[in-house]
């Protein structure tokens, strides 16, 4: 499967950009024998997914999304109007979209993003950007609440350590109830939404509460 990852805060440091951990995770088989801090091997040997990472300013140069199965927006502030329309049409036609919003994201873009038919693309509105939650300044995952198919196996695994993963800042998500299709697939230890998903046309859009960097 081909995945396009748009990096809203690229970095020359190993694993320093907003897209780097996503890229490494999707290419995990390719880096298993190598240095985990190195860029994944793009040869395709042993990898289930072939990732392409582009910096947000260069994303407008992507002219054809038909080769991709999924588009990931990693802390992308906003998309230019022609690309936003193209991504919305891609998802409506059967593609997948993962939005991992970081502190650079502009809620006015994501909250107003609509397709040509006027349907909101994001499954949730971005509310307040929250920081320093919890006694130690972090908010953690709540594996017991994981119901999304991509996360449920983690919750079922005895002794899983997902609850140690923490955000130092995150967005308060406000799920949209268009047609009753928006669903919460997991929560933070504050009880707030971690994952919100909604079917969009023939495709699906998933939004996280924070970036994965």
């Amino acid at each position: 499967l081909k995945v396009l990852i748009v990096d809203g805060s690229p970095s020359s440091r190993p694993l320093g950009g907003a897209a780097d951990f996503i890229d490494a995770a999707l290419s995990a088989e390719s880096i298993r024998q190598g240095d985990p801090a190195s860029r994944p091997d793009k040869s395709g040997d042993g990898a289930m997914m072939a990732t392409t990472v582009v910096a947000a300013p260069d994303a407008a140069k992507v002219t054809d999304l038909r080769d991709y199965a999924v588009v990931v927006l990693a802390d992308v502030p906003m998309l230019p109007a022609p690309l936003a329309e193209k991504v919305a049409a891609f998802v409506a036609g059967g593609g997948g979209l993962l939005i991992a919003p970081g502190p650079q994201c502009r809620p006015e873009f994501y909250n107003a993003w609509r397709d040509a038919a006027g349907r909101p693309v994001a499954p949730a509105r971005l509310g307040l950007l929250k920081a320093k939650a919890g006694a130690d300044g972090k908010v953690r995952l709540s594996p017991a609440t994981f119901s999304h198919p991509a996360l449920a196996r983690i919750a079922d695994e005895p002794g899983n350590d997902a609850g140690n993963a923490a955000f130092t800042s995150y967005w308060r998500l406000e799920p949209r109830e268009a047609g009753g299709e928006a669903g919460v697939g997991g929560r933070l230890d504050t009880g707030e939404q971690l994952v919100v998903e909604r079917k969009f046309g023939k495709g699906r859009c998933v939004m996280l509460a924070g970036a994965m960097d």
Side-chain angles (χ1 to χ4, degrees):
L1 296 177
K2 293 185 178 180
V3 180
L4 175 66
I5 308 173
V6 183
D7 193 335
S9 55
S11 172
S12 58
R13 294 183 296 108
L15 300 180
D20 291 347
F21 279 99
I22 303 171
D23 189 20
L26 296 182
S27 307
E29 189 65 30
S30 295
I31 66 171
R32 181 172 296 171
Q33 304 301 326
D35 177 6
S38 67
R39 301 291 296 183
D41 174 15
K42 299 298 182 180
S43 67
D45 269 351
M48 295 177 63
M49 301 186 188
T51 57
T52 299
V53 180
V54 297
D58 298 326
K61 299 177 183 177
V62 178
T63 58
D64 193 351
L65 297 175
R66 289 177 296 179
D67 284 343
Y68 297 101
V70 178
V71 172
V72 180
L73 303 181
D75 195 14
V76 175
M78 62 178 293
L79 296 176
L83 182 58
E85 294 174 7
K86 192 177 298 184
V87 172
F90 162 78
V91 182
L97 174 64
L98 172 62
I99 302 171
Q104 295 193 115
C105 287
R106 299 184 184 178
E108 62 270 22
F109 165 74
Y110 288 95
N111 294 345
W113 187 10
R114 282 167 169 73
D115 70 351
R119 297 176 296 181
V121 177
R125 290 177 53 84
L126 292 179
L128 294 174
L129 178 63
K130 305 186 73 174
K132 297 184 178 179
D136 61 353
K138 297 177 182 179
V139 61
R140 289 177 166 76
L141 310 186
S142 177
T145 67
F146 290 176
S147 59
H148 189 279
L151 301 175
R153 290 185 64 182
I154 298 174
D156 292 340
E157 183 68 27
N160 80 79
D161 62 355
N164 294 330
F167 290 107
T168 52
S169 67
Y170 66 98
W171 289 93
R172 174 172 285 174
L173 301 183
E174 303 168 359
R176 300 182 188 271
E177 296 300 333
E181 293 181 337
V184 177
R187 295 182 181 272
L188 300 166
D189 62 2
T190 61
E192 294 165 299
Q193 291 88 351
L194 167 68
V195 181
V196 179
E197 180 187 53
R198 190 179 78 227
K199 187 175 180 182
F200 186 81
K202 296 180 180 179
R204 289 191 175 273
C205 179
V206 177
M207 178 176 262
L208 305 180
M212 293 187 281
D213 60 1

